Amino acid sequence: MTTGEDFLRTFHARLPAVTGDTFGRGRTADGRSSYELLRDRVSGSRRVLELGCGDGVLLEALAEDDGRDGACLAGVDLSPEALALAAARPALAGTTLVECRAQQLPFRDGSFDACVAHMALMLMDEMEAVAAEAARVLAPGGTFACVVGGGAGGGEAYALFLDLLRPLVHAMPASARVPALGDRRTRTPGGFAQILGPAGFASFGWETVALDLAGPVERVWEVVSSVYDVATLDASVLAELRRTFLSEARKITPEGAPTPCVLHLQLATARRQ
């Protein structure tokens, strides 16, 4: 277990449903959630593995897809607390859920037709091992699809929040900050191909989508403050950040309208040769 993985386990032990609660609220221009985008990208695949499945939002969407009746689904995650929430979903009664690292998957070669990851791949270390394991458990021609973060949109609440948060994080001693998480190569099309290509993947796709998380300013605060760096702030600092954010966010919110909040995501795909 790496330092970053230790942090993630601790964070998600306290907030096991935070990712699903946050991203489940957002919608793209066509009305789908980012989970539904990923679900539809592997439409037709009956055996699907999710890496970093968390509390099971995406797996539930896959299980309830009318075109995937009788599908074989599996999910792995580092957090036993999140996996317990996934196991409690009625739609996932027949789903295999395993606490393990994506770098060491407990599945036979060629067990799946698709492998997916929602806001998880970019947090993983040892990406060559992740790519090799994904290739191993996928059947030839299988699809690898993931959603990774792409940053804030301009002139709205998420960008405002990051502008307020960054100096607070930089003022902290390095030992108190969130440890380095993941591999930056997963956030660019070239880096994505560089990782997966040697493992036997090809036919790379890369699409930027905007996720609209607008809503009442208090709800938008819940969304933006779910980032990992907030967990390292002292209570008094966090309280002041919240006060300042709410005040400034109201200034950019037209009267009677929801507070604008946009997050850019990358939808990346590849095909197992």
Side-chain angles (χ1 to χ4, degrees):
M1 191 70 65
T2 67
T3 301
E5 288 171 344
D6 286 336
F7 171 84
L8 292 171
R9 286 183 67 115
T10 300
F11 181 92
H12 288 287
R14 183 170 62 88
L15 297 169
V18 65
T19 304
D21 287 347
T22 298
F23 288 90
R25 298 172 177 176
R27 291 294 180 269
T28 58
D30 62 7
R32 287 181 292 174
S33 71
S34 52
Y35 293 105
E36 290 168 333
L37 284 179
L38 204 48
R39 176 203 65 192
D40 294 346
R41 193 51 59 101
V42 296
S43 177
S45 300
R46 301 188 64 79
R47 301 178 299 164
V48 185
L49 168 66
E50 182 179 4
L51 307 180
C53 66
D55 63 329
V57 177
L58 175 56
L59 286 172
E60 184 175 63
L62 289 164
E64 293 178 344
D65 184 355
D66 291 339
R68 198 175 278 107
D69 184 44
C72 174
L73 303 177
V76 301
D77 202 275
L78 292 175
S79 170
E81 294 82 5
L83 287 169
L85 294 180
R89 296 178 183 268
L92 300 186
T95 299
T96 300
L97 299 169
V98 184
E99 180 187 346
C100 72
R101 304 176 74 228
Q103 296 85 348
Q104 295 173 298
L105 296 172
F107 303 108
R108 295 191 301 272
D109 295 2
S111 297
F112 299 98
D113 305 309
C115 180
V116 294
H118 182 278
M119 297 298 287
L121 192 75
M122 66 208 197
L123 303 174
M124 297 177 186
D125 298 319
E126 304 168 33
M127 277 307 307
E128 278 71 19
V130 174
E133 280 292 87
R136 182 183 65 78
V137 301
L138 277 173
T143 300
F144 185 92
C146 67
V147 166
V148 299
E156 46 73 53
Y158 195 75
L160 166 65
F161 172 77
L162 293 180
D163 287 342
L164 295 172
L165 177 65
R166 287 188 186 105
L168 300 179
V169 173
H170 291 160
M172 299 169 62
S175 60
R177 300 174 192 168
V178 174
L181 297 174
D183 190 322
R184 298 296 299 181
R185 292 178 296 169
T186 59
R187 296 174 181 262
T188 66
F192 184 72
Q194 181 185 25
I195 293 168
L196 293 181
F201 288 92
S203 303
F204 297 102
W206 191 267
E207 178 186 355
T208 300
V209 295
L211 190 68
D212 187 354
L213 291 156
V217 66
E218 293 279 359
R219 193 180 79 178
V220 169
W221 163 257
E222 294 176 2
V223 168
V224 298
S225 63
S226 66
V227 301
Y228 292 124
D229 285 307
V230 167
T232 65
L233 299 178
D234 291 337
S236 60
V237 175
L238 177 58
E240 180 61 19
L241 173 62
R242 179 180 180 277
R243 186 198 66 78
T244 304
F245 171 80
L246 293 178
S247 174
E248 295 300 315
R250 290 186 176 105
K251 295 177 183 178
I252 64 171
T253 303
E255 186 174 355
T259 298
C261 184
V262 177
L263 179 64
H264 290 155
L265 302 177
Q266 311 294 348
L267 179 58
T269 58
R271 186 77 63 183
R272 169 77 162 86
Q273 292 180 304

